[in-house]
Amino acid sequence: MNNNPSTDFYRQFEDCFRTSRQNIKQRLRTYQPLLMFLHSEMQSSSQRAPRALDLGCGRGEWLELLLEAGFDATGVDLDAGMLEACKEQGLPASHGDALEELRKVPDNSLAMVSAFHMVEHIPFDMLLSVVEQALRALVPGGLLLMETPNPENLSVGTSQFYLDPTHTKPIPHALLAFVTQHSGFAAQQVLRVNERYTPLPDSPVGVYDLLFNVSPDYAVAAIKSTNADSIERFKSLVPADQGIALEKSAYQYDDRLSKHLAHLKKTVEQAQNYIHGVHDQLIQTQMLNRTLEQRVT
């Protein structure tokens, strides 16, 4: 019997609140275009399987996808329960501190460095070091991919984020993207992900949508300097309107409200015109009645 409740606390916490491995693995497939792009770019310049390091690999969902995509991938995590989950799946994950393990990696040796829901757990100065070390360790054209809770989602930013006792503070997407730019990456993309549903273009936006349906997570993907053609192909991978942004939803809500108020105003004006017409007819009828009464008398 395990008498130390902290040993597997976080694994049980993930199973309860982050949902099953199968569900998370399916969500992570949204990044497959990045994997296909990167694998193609790396294979064109080398016959070896491109190497990848997954920081804070957790239960190993992303690590498994990397291996399935043909990467020579390894993971690192500090949590014993998470590493046991990887072991159960036969995944190559080891115990270690993410930054320290990244510092051991030789220069220009990795095709990808990934960190899913890790950066919100570490101090900001450590985040800067992780990004700087990732740039050093990546080959030209290599990718850094970091996913984290999206504080644009008001429910996430004010409540759900703090459900995890190991979180430090939410990181706005503009800040995380700037960190990669400041560190020297050639280009970066923001991907809003993991929405509950995909709204239709003409779907009405309500208050509930503003509070709960903005993309709950986002990722920053950054590419290390390489040839201009590869950078342009990387930029084209992410649709400009991917995910649900709070600002866009707010504009849609305001637009819908404005149109609704304009429709109400028009309806009221039409009703007023009708009432005025009825009033005029009533006056005419009264005048006609008086004329008839005078003729009768």
Side-chain angles (χ1 to χ4, degrees):
M1 178 177 175
N2 184 359
N3 294 319
N4 183 0
S6 65
T7 300
D8 61 352
F9 170 84
Y10 206 73
R11 180 179 178 183
Q12 292 186 32
F13 179 86
E14 287 271 297
D15 292 343
C16 180
F17 293 104
R18 187 158 164 76
T19 73
S20 68
R21 285 191 86 261
Q22 293 78 8
N23 185 43
I24 296 302
K25 187 177 176 182
Q26 184 60 37
R27 286 186 190 178
L28 292 172
R29 293 189 188 279
T30 192
Y31 299 108
Q32 282 187 322
L34 284 173
L35 290 183
M36 293 173 63
F37 159 79
L38 184 59
H39 195 275
S40 174
E41 291 286 314
M42 296 297 111
Q43 287 291 83
S44 65
S45 59
S46 173
Q47 297 301 313
R48 297 174 55 189
R51 293 184 58 209
L53 176 62
D54 188 27
L55 307 175
C57 61
R59 297 176 300 190
E61 299 95 337
W62 178 248
L63 185 56
E64 189 172 2
L65 281 176
L66 285 170
L67 294 168
E68 290 175 0
F71 285 80
D72 176 11
T74 57
V76 60
D77 205 296
L78 284 170
D79 188 89
M82 294 298 193
L83 292 172
E84 181 61 28
C86 289
K87 182 179 179 181
E88 291 169 3
Q89 301 294 324
L91 299 173
S94 60
H95 181 273
D97 176 81
L99 180 56
E100 292 305 314
E101 293 302 314
L102 189 53
R103 282 175 172 155
K104 296 176 185 177
V105 175
D107 295 359
N108 303 304
S109 61
L110 296 175
M112 170 171 277
V113 175
S114 52
F116 284 84
H117 291 264
M118 187 202 81
V119 296
E120 69 273 15
H121 292 263
I122 61 178
F124 187 70
D125 58 348
M126 184 175 177
L127 168 60
L128 292 175
S129 296
V130 166
V131 175
E132 291 169 357
Q133 287 297 316
L135 181 68
R136 176 195 60 77
L138 288 168
V139 298
L143 296 184
L144 170 63
L145 179 61
M146 301 176 287
E147 183 183 289
T148 187
N150 182 14
E152 277 187 312
N153 182 304
L154 299 179
S155 178
V156 170
T158 61
S159 176
Q160 295 176 27
F161 182 88
Y162 301 98
L163 183 64
D164 188 328
T166 64
H167 283 174
T168 55
K169 59 183 178 182
I171 306 172
H173 68 271
L175 173 59
L176 191 57
F178 177 76
V179 167
T180 62
Q181 176 186 345
H182 180 266
S183 298
F185 281 86
Q188 48 284 132
Q189 297 277 15
V190 174
L191 302 84
R192 294 176 176 85
V193 295
N194 299 334
E195 301 81 23
R196 299 184 183 186
Y197 70 101
T198 301
L200 298 173
D202 58 349
S203 296
V205 176
V207 173
Y208 183 90
D209 298 295
L210 292 178
L211 293 176
F212 299 104
N213 286 340
V214 170
S215 301
D217 301 308
Y218 76 88
V220 169
I223 186 169
K224 184 171 178 176
S225 183
T226 182
N227 64 78
D229 289 341
S230 293
I231 292 175
E232 288 306 312
R233 285 194 293 271
F234 164 74
K235 290 180 178 179
S236 70
L237 290 173
V238 181
D241 59 348
Q242 176 168 318
I244 305 175
L246 177 59
E247 185 177 16
K248 180 180 178 181
S249 294
Y251 280 133
Q252 290 175 329
Y253 177 79
D254 285 347
D255 182 60
R256 178 192 173 212
L257 186 60
S258 297
K259 290 178 179 178
H260 181 64
L261 291 175
H263 177 72
L264 287 178
K265 181 180 179 181
K266 184 177 180 179
T267 302
V268 169
E269 289 174 348
Q270 290 174 340
Q272 289 175 334
N273 291 335
Y274 176 77
I275 292 171
H276 290 154
V278 171
H279 181 260
D280 291 343
Q281 290 179 357
L282 179 60
I283 292 175
Q284 291 176 4
T285 301
Q286 289 174 338
M287 292 176 64
L288 179 60
N289 286 340
R290 289 172 186 169
T291 300
L292 291 174
E293 288 175 354
Q294 290 173 356
R295 289 179 180 179
V296 171
T297 58

